[in-house]
């Protein structure tokens, strides 16, 4: 498709001034395309969909309807931040869908990684579709497609990382950042006033914490993933690693080991810490996290996260390990 090709003359957006110029240009293009019609957007809270939301709020205000689906596999504080930033601060028209039980019920007992991914992707589409059908007069579907998505997958909507969006709803697409690279999206996001922890966020897989709660997901083990991840992120931020390490998170395998707590024998899960650097996620090296910091994080996780009695650090580069554990 002709307009899916980035013109060779297009300047790389590297400064706030260039971002402002891009934003102004997009605002008039969006107003022209959308007119007085309504636009729907699946807002995950990731940088791409957040930048698209912020642009559209500026361009057409309440004509934008954002749908945030909480599938229960988001990181600690993420749904709350989406509501705070978009509904409370930007006054967006935001539909929050609590689909936690629905997803976790569907996933119960499913241990096979690709099956888990399929269930999460399919259920996401179903929930989003149901919400879309409840709304009247939607003409457009906005998407956070970026240029690498087009380069990698051709002009199809394959980019959404939980598996795509409804194909059978008759919407016209709105894709304001489809010619931008990720670093440019971040510069634009910053210029739009989005918070730093949204703009400079590390990559997060569509199936979310689901692939870090290894095997069949249980609610208690999923909470152990979420709580340990929150501690790791807090400590990395405090110690200057958050902006430096490409991806860092915790995993909770589905086995237990013995330990001792308050003089009593425990039988609990381990938490695995993963912290890696990469260019393109095809290969990765392990971050050299200071030993004292690892000890401190271990002490916090074993003291604060119920059901956990050990912390391990994954020393494996990619290859032989993948970045995620499943
Ligand atoms: P692996 O584990 O294959 O991960 O070394 C490479 C990068 O891809 C991310 N990842 C995913 N992202 N949906 C996504 O949107 C997925 O199913 C998925 N699986 C892995 C992973 O977090 C890493 O950044």
């Amino acid at each position: 498709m002709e307009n899916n090709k980035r013109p060779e003359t297009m300047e790389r957006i590297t400064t706030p001034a260039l971002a402002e110029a891009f934003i102004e240009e997009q605002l008039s293009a969006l107003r022209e395309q959308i007119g007085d019609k309504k636009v729907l957007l699946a807002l995950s809270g990731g940088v791409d969909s957040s930048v698209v939301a912020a642009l559209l709020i500026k361009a057409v205000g309440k004509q934008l309807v954002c749908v945030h689906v909480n599938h229960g596999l988001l990181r600690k504080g993420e749904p709350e931040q989406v509501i705070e930033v978009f509904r409370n601060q930007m006054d967006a028209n935001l539909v929050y869908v609590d689909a936690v039980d629905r997803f976790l019920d569907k996933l119960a007992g499913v241990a096979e990684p690709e099956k888990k991914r399929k269930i999460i992707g399919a259920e996401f589409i179903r929930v989003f579709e149901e919400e879309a059908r409840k709304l009247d007069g939607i003409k457009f579907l906005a998407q956070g497609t970026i240029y690498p998505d087009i380069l990698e997958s051709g002009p199809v909507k394959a980019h959404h990382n939980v598996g795509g969006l409804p194909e059978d709803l008759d919407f016209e697409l709105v894709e304001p950042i489809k010619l931008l690279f990720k670093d440019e999206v971040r510069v634009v996001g910053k210029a739009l006033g989005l918070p730093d922890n949204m703009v400079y966020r590390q990559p997060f897989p569509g199936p979310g914490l689901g692939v870090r709660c290894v095997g069949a997901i249980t609610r208690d083990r999923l909470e152990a993933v979420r709580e340990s991840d929150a501690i790791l992120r807090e400590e990395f931020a405090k110690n200057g690693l958050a902006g430096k390490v490409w991806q860092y998170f915790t995993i909770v395998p589905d086995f237990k080991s013995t330990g001792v707590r308050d003089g009593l024998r425990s039988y609990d899960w381990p938490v695995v810490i993963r912290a890696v650097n990469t260019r393109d996620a095809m290969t990765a090296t392990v971050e050299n996290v200071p030993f004292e910091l690892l000890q401190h994080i271990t002490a916090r996780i074993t003291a604060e996260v119920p059901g956990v009695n050990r912390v391990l650090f994954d020393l494996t580069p990619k290859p032989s390990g993948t970045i995620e554990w499943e």
Side-chain angles (χ1 to χ4, degrees):
M1 238 184 275
E2 190 68 3
N3 58 354
N4 271 353
K5 191 154 168 18
R6 184 172 166 125
E8 270 165 30
T9 51
M10 187 169 156
E11 195 174 355
R12 192 89 174 196
I13 302 170
T14 51
T15 64
L18 290 168
E20 291 299 343
F22 172 84
I23 292 166
E24 284 315 310
E25 197 180 292
Q26 282 309 313
L27 293 184
S28 34
L30 286 169
R31 287 182 189 126
E32 179 154 335
Q33 184 186 5
I34 295 163
D36 61 358
K37 302 291 191 294
K38 284 193 200 162
V39 193
L40 186 62
L41 169 72
L43 175 59
S44 67
V47 57
D48 304 334
S49 65
S50 296
V51 166
V52 170
L55 271 172
L56 281 161
I57 291 163
K58 271 203 162 178
V60 297
K62 292 275 168 72
Q63 286 163 246
L64 171 71
V65 184
C66 303
V67 176
H68 178 65
V69 178
N70 181 359
H71 52 29
L73 306 167
L74 299 170
R75 287 169 291 197
K76 188 172 181 173
E78 281 189 321
E80 293 82 358
Q81 188 182 29
V82 168
I83 292 173
E84 172 57 26
V85 170
F86 292 99
R87 187 184 283 163
N88 300 351
Q89 294 174 20
M90 295 192 176
D91 198 26
N93 204 342
L94 173 72
V95 179
Y96 169 76
V97 188
D98 179 348
V100 175
D101 287 341
R102 225 174 126 154
F103 277 84
L104 296 188
D105 289 350
K106 276 253 150 74
L107 287 163
V110 181
E112 211 264 300
E114 290 318 309
K115 237 190 217 159
K116 286 165 70 177
R117 279 189 172 77
K118 275 210 180 91
I119 290 173
I120 296 165
E123 196 60 15
F124 182 88
I125 293 174
R126 217 167 289 138
V127 172
F128 186 76
E129 218 163 19
E130 282 172 21
E131 292 305 316
R133 291 191 200 287
K134 285 184 203 161
L135 299 162
D136 273 338
I138 303 277
K139 178 148 194 295
F140 296 96
L141 180 68
Q143 293 200 140
T145 313
I146 66 172
Y147 205 47
D149 302 325
I150 290 176
L151 294 179
E152 280 158 28
S153 53
V156 287
K157 294 175 276 181
H159 101 282
H160 198 286
N161 62 14
V162 275
L165 287 171
E167 296 290 332
D168 62 329
L169 295 174
D170 191 19
F171 295 133
E172 202 177 300
L173 285 185
V174 174
E175 297 177 302
I177 57 170
K178 70 176 177 184
L179 297 184
L180 301 192
F181 288 101
K182 197 79 175 191
D183 54 304
E184 300 179 293
V185 178
R186 295 193 208 278
V187 180
V188 171
K190 186 85 185 130
L192 285 164
L194 291 172
D196 278 3
N197 67 347
M198 216 167 226
V199 170
Y200 300 110
R201 154 180 309 207
Q202 56 169 318
F204 187 61
L209 302 182
V211 293
R212 298 172 184 172
C213 188
V214 177
I217 298 170
T218 57
R219 287 172 194 249
D220 45 5
R221 207 154 48 83
L222 180 59
E223 280 320 302
V225 180
R226 195 169 355 249
E227 291 300 322
S228 56
D229 171 77
I231 292 171
L232 182 74
R233 284 190 290 136
E234 189 189 320
E235 291 297 334
F236 268 39
K238 249 194 234 164
N239 291 279
L241 291 176
K244 180 177 168 248
V245 182
W246 194 79
Q247 204 172 12
Y248 47 98
F249 53 87
T250 60
I251 300 124
V252 181
D254 58 350
F255 62 83
K256 291 183 170 181
S257 72
T258 53
V260 60
R261 189 187 295 275
D262 305 326
L264 295 175
R265 205 179 113 103
S266 69
Y267 189 56
D268 283 325
W269 300 301
V271 159
V272 180
I273 296 175
R274 189 104 173 103
V276 298
N277 293 305
T278 176
R279 256 172 200 287
D280 55 9
M282 301 301 284
T283 61
T285 56
V286 176
E287 170 72 16
N288 188 355
V289 183
F291 195 67
E292 290 71 25
L293 179 58
L294 287 173
Q295 286 178 309
H296 175 64
I297 293 170
T298 300
R300 279 199 62 192
I301 289 177
T302 50
E304 296 173 37
V305 183
V308 171
N309 64 358
R310 276 177 206 273
V311 175
L312 317 176
F313 184 69
D314 187 348
L315 284 164
T316 321
K318 177 181 180 176
S320 59
T322 46
I323 295 176
E324 303 289 346
W325 266 39
E326 61 175 32

